[in-house]
Amino acid sequence: MAGKAIDLIRQGIRILQKAEDSVLIGLLLLMVFIAVSQIFLRNLFDSGLSFGDELIRVLVLWISLMGAMVASRNNSHVNIDLISRYLPGHIKKFSTVLVGFFTSVICALMSWFSFNFVMMEKSEGVIAFSGIPAWICESIIPVSFAIISIRYLLISFATFFNSYKQNV
Amino acid sequence: MSILLICIIILFAFLGAPLFSIIIAAAMTGFYFSDIDLSVMAIELYRIADTPILIALPLFTFAGYILSRSNTSERLVRLTQALLGWIPGGLAIVAFVVCAVFTALTGASGVTIVAMGALLYPALKQAGYKDNFSLGLVTTSGSLGLLLPPSLPLILYGVIAQQMDAGQAVSIEKLFIAGILPALLMIVLLSLWSIWANRKTPVPLTPFTLKNVLATVRESIWEIPLPVFVFTGVYSGYFAVSEAAAVTAMYVLIIEVLVYREVKLSDLSGIIRESMVMVGGILLILGVCLAFTNFLIDAEVPMKIFNACKIFIGSKFLFLILLNIFLLILGTMLDIFSAIIIMVPLILPIAQEYGVDPIHLGIIFLANMQIGYLTPPVGMNLFIAGYRFNKPIIEIYRATIPFMMVLLLAVLIITYWPWLSLVFIS
């Protein structure tokens, strides 16, 4: 039973990772394409997509947060790490569990408060650009932090049960 | 209560919690005790989407990662050797120039030592340079060119300075102009030292022949326009930096995948993911730091630090000395991007009170951080070199220290002679 549940989680993680990769790659290529078309349109035809510049800026936010999500798969975010490299094995394991849990809680809080913000913008009907509601552009913030939070919780658990394989 | 929370956050920082989570925790604590609704965090983070210049970051990083995966490095070495190989000092000087150009082309994203080191280290040894010298040279060169466009750290400095009242006049274009002479100074001093250090070692020179130059030019014909339009576009003001980034990304993508065919289409997804993981890491820290900075400025923290400093630090000269020492230590602990994001908002207002020009400060900051990459015990280039060339870290320390001393001299000149950075800026 437990084995089945774990298999299901593993499969879910794989699907999520594939989806993240595809979206991330698609967004970057889209950004390059729109940015270059804007330059051509502006210089050759003195025109441009009315929503182009805003869209590119929102893409920067999405790409950053998606990149950050991917970085948390194997905990490859920048850290200071002055103490932990000198800790003996079992204490280091304990501190990894603790740090993972801390990060997870912080990201959960961040996700919750940004979710509130997005809902507020939705109910006020704020428009970002060209009729696109602001809350859609902002929605990546709570979503990405929720996923980062889950990942660090998994890293924390898996480290505790000694089954962390560097990729969740 | 708040003091307990601060202690817990600091403890987790040193235990190795991700920097972004530490900053979020600190900012949330600050806002909570100032009775500000915490959804302000999302508003601040969304400012990433309100800063047009940040577009340049993912685009240049992407281009840099593609270049580092193709054979651009080899062609660049051959071309530079054909052009400059006749100068006394030979390959060593070629290596400095090549690394500076490559670092600039890849936006100083840290790929130079990986892409160039493996190429130059055996070449230098084969040319008759001592092992120690060659090792030190490639380790040092890994961060040369940090001050040349389109350096991402310099762009980041500009972005942060512009977010603050203190530095609104700091344009990215001005920073790029300010970086030229200091970057040249470093290259020239390192070259002079190399000539002197090898005065007893016979070093073969490559004679200058038109045939050789033409052959290498033909080989690199598609890549030569790249620095030309990045440098001239940005310096002349014809291109905005973000436009130059877009064109560079598209151009590099086309020539390396379709013309040279050195990057396979199937490798592209991996390259994009890797480069965007780096961008995501940096911009996430930037985004949450914007929130934290806002809190610090509201709480007038920079002013308080300045007032405390005034008691001990009476002159601009003394301030600059302490700044140098502080930044050198900082550079050994933090990577250059995080250091800029976290420290510039604190240091910039203080430096201005002491009469340091914000643009000059940017150049000082980066020049110091560049040495931080090489400073034992934890400079990043040292580890990359140790790993890449399979050498004990102690050997790398010993090989790098003379070069570090030369760069230290350059940094002192850059710091105490503002003319060098500011001469072309009216």
Side-chain angles (χ1 to χ4, degrees):
Chain A
M1 195 59 208
K4 226 175 192 173
I6 287 178
D7 278 348
L8 217 59
I9 292 176
R10 287 226 176 94
Q11 201 178 358
I13 289 173
R14 260 201 306 278
I15 294 171
L16 177 68
Q17 290 188 348
K18 270 258 178 331
E20 280 174 342
D21 287 355
S22 322
V23 174
L24 184 57
I25 290 159
L27 290 180
L28 181 81
L29 292 177
L30 181 68
M31 180 166 138
V32 174
F33 181 74
I34 298 177
V36 172
S37 336
Q38 285 292 79
I39 297 170
F40 272 104
L41 289 173
R42 193 171 301 140
N43 288 317
L44 295 182
F45 304 103
D46 211 11
S47 71
L49 303 169
S50 59
F51 56 87
D53 292 347
E54 283 91 350
L55 180 59
I56 295 171
R57 297 209 308 256
V58 173
L59 282 176
V60 173
L61 178 76
W62 278 64
I63 288 172
S64 307
L65 290 175
M66 301 268 323
M69 277 157 68
V70 175
S72 50
R73 281 179 198 169
N74 50 3
N75 186 14
S76 55
H77 282 283
V78 177
N79 59 14
I80 301 183
D81 193 20
L82 272 183
I83 301 178
S84 65
R85 77 175 88 195
Y86 303 110
L87 294 177
H90 57 287
I91 299 181
K92 186 175 164 64
K93 178 183 155 187
F94 181 67
S95 92
T96 308
V97 173
L98 221 58
V99 160
F101 188 68
F102 168 85
T103 310
S104 179
V105 170
I106 297 291
C107 291
L109 285 172
M110 186 74 191
S111 177
W112 170 248
F113 287 112
S114 38
F115 176 73
N116 283 347
F117 167 68
V118 170
M119 281 329 222
M120 205 167 66
E121 296 261 294
K122 190 181 176 196
S123 67
E124 285 171 14
V126 182
I127 299 295
F129 57 90
S130 306
I132 296 174
W135 73 269
I136 293 184
C137 303
E138 293 151 356
S139 61
I140 187 71
I141 303 176
V143 171
S144 60
F145 276 100
I147 289 181
I148 295 175
S149 172
I150 294 169
R151 286 216 161 109
Y152 272 97
L153 197 63
L154 284 176
I155 289 175
S156 183
F157 272 133
T159 310
F160 186 75
F161 292 110
N162 277 330
S163 62
Y164 178 41
K165 291 207 188 63
Q166 295 282 314
N167 219 336
V168 287
Chain B
M1 180 63 188
S2 62
I3 293 189
L4 180 69
L5 275 176
I6 291 169
C7 290
I8 293 176
I9 293 171
I10 291 175
L11 176 71
F12 273 108
F14 286 136
L15 280 179
L19 209 49
F20 80 87
S21 67
I22 298 294
I23 299 167
I24 294 177
M28 279 185 168
T29 310
F31 283 127
Y32 178 79
F33 285 105
S34 319
D35 284 328
I36 295 170
D37 189 289
L38 290 184
S39 46
V40 69
M41 294 296 296
I43 302 175
E44 297 282 348
L45 188 61
Y46 197 72
R47 274 164 69 190
I48 290 182
D50 284 333
T51 315
I53 183 73
L54 288 182
I55 299 162
L57 228 68
L59 293 174
F60 274 131
T61 310
F62 174 53
Y65 270 70
I66 295 185
L67 283 176
S68 71
R69 289 293 181 81
S70 60
N71 298 335
T72 308
S73 46
E74 287 161 35
R75 283 188 290 272
L76 188 57
V77 171
R78 281 197 290 268
L79 177 65
T80 315
Q81 192 154 25
L83 288 172
L84 302 178
W86 53 272
I87 299 175
L91 190 60
I93 293 175
V94 169
F96 288 129
V97 173
V98 161
C99 283
V101 172
F102 197 74
T103 306
L105 277 183
T106 54
S109 48
V111 293
T112 304
I113 195 165
V114 180
M116 280 294 178
L119 201 62
L120 288 173
Y121 178 52
L124 282 163
K125 280 207 299 186
Q126 205 185 0
Y129 294 92
K130 287 197 194 83
D131 186 50
N132 231 2
F133 176 85
S134 314
L135 197 60
L137 189 151
V138 287
T139 312
T140 312
S141 309
S143 48
L144 209 59
L146 208 63
L147 295 172
L148 295 172
S151 153
L152 300 179
L154 213 50
I155 293 178
L156 208 55
Y157 176 85
V159 168
I160 294 168
Q162 283 167 11
Q163 303 284 338
M164 311 180 58
D165 294 338
Q168 268 165 357
V170 182
S171 76
I172 312 283
E173 285 80 4
K174 277 186 191 165
L175 281 168
F176 282 153
I177 293 171
I180 300 175
L181 287 185
L184 283 179
L185 175 75
M186 289 186 181
I187 297 172
V188 169
L189 284 182
L190 283 171
S191 300
L192 289 177
W193 189 81
S194 297
I195 294 172
W196 192 77
N198 291 296
R199 64 197 178 286
K200 286 178 191 142
T201 325
V203 176
L205 303 181
T206 316
F208 185 92
T209 64
L210 201 60
K211 189 168 146 256
N212 202 355
V213 171
L214 284 178
T216 51
V217 165
R218 197 170 306 126
E219 186 183 52
S220 315
I221 193 74
W222 290 99
E223 281 152 339
I224 291 172
L226 206 58
V228 175
F229 69 55
V230 170
F231 290 156
T232 53
V234 169
Y235 283 139
S236 67
Y238 183 75
F239 268 152
V241 175
S242 52
E243 287 179 328
V247 176
T248 304
M250 183 66 116
Y251 185 79
V252 166
L253 184 65
I254 290 173
I255 61 166
E256 303 303 345
V257 175
L258 297 179
V259 180
Y260 287 114
R261 295 168 190 251
E262 287 162 357
V263 174
K264 284 197 231 89
L265 214 53
S266 54
D267 296 338
L268 210 54
S269 60
I271 295 178
I272 293 180
R273 190 181 58 212
E274 250 176 71
S275 55
M276 290 310 112
V277 162
M278 180 188 158
V279 170
I282 297 172
L283 285 187
L284 178 60
I285 293 178
L286 175 68
V288 295
C289 226
L290 290 175
F292 187 52
T293 304
N294 244 3
F295 164 73
L296 289 180
I297 291 173
D298 275 351
E300 297 185 326
V301 173
M303 263 340 274
K304 283 175 190 158
I305 300 179
F306 173 64
N307 287 335
C309 285
K310 254 194 324 205
I311 303 168
F312 305 104
I313 309 169
S315 68
K316 178 178 168 181
F317 188 75
L318 188 60
F319 169 75
L320 286 174
I321 292 177
L322 291 176
L323 182 69
N324 275 334
I325 297 171
F326 175 75
L327 290 177
L328 285 175
I329 297 172
L330 186 72
T332 65
M333 294 199 297
L334 274 181
D335 73 293
I336 191 161
F337 295 102
S338 316
I340 291 173
I341 295 167
I342 295 174
M343 282 304 158
V344 169
L346 283 174
I347 292 178
L348 182 59
I350 299 171
Q352 279 204 306
E353 294 288 336
Y354 280 106
V356 180
D357 187 285
I359 291 185
H360 185 210
L361 180 73
I363 304 299
I364 296 175
F365 201 105
L366 289 204
N368 275 289
M369 295 306 288
Q370 180 182 343
I371 296 186
Y373 275 107
L374 310 169
T375 313
V378 288
M380 195 168 65
N381 277 9
L382 300 169
F383 286 110
I384 300 178
Y387 176 77
R388 197 81 175 78
F389 308 124
N390 213 356
K391 296 270 178 187
I393 197 85
I394 298 289
E395 205 179 317
I396 310 251
Y397 290 169
R398 223 178 295 133
T400 315
I401 281 173
F403 293 90
M404 208 181 93
M405 291 299 157
V406 176
L407 281 182
L408 202 57
L409 176 68
V411 166
L412 291 178
I413 296 174
I414 291 166
T415 308
Y416 299 102
W417 194 24
W419 180 88
L420 202 60
S421 309
L422 302 175
V423 58
F424 296 126
I425 301 164
S426 48

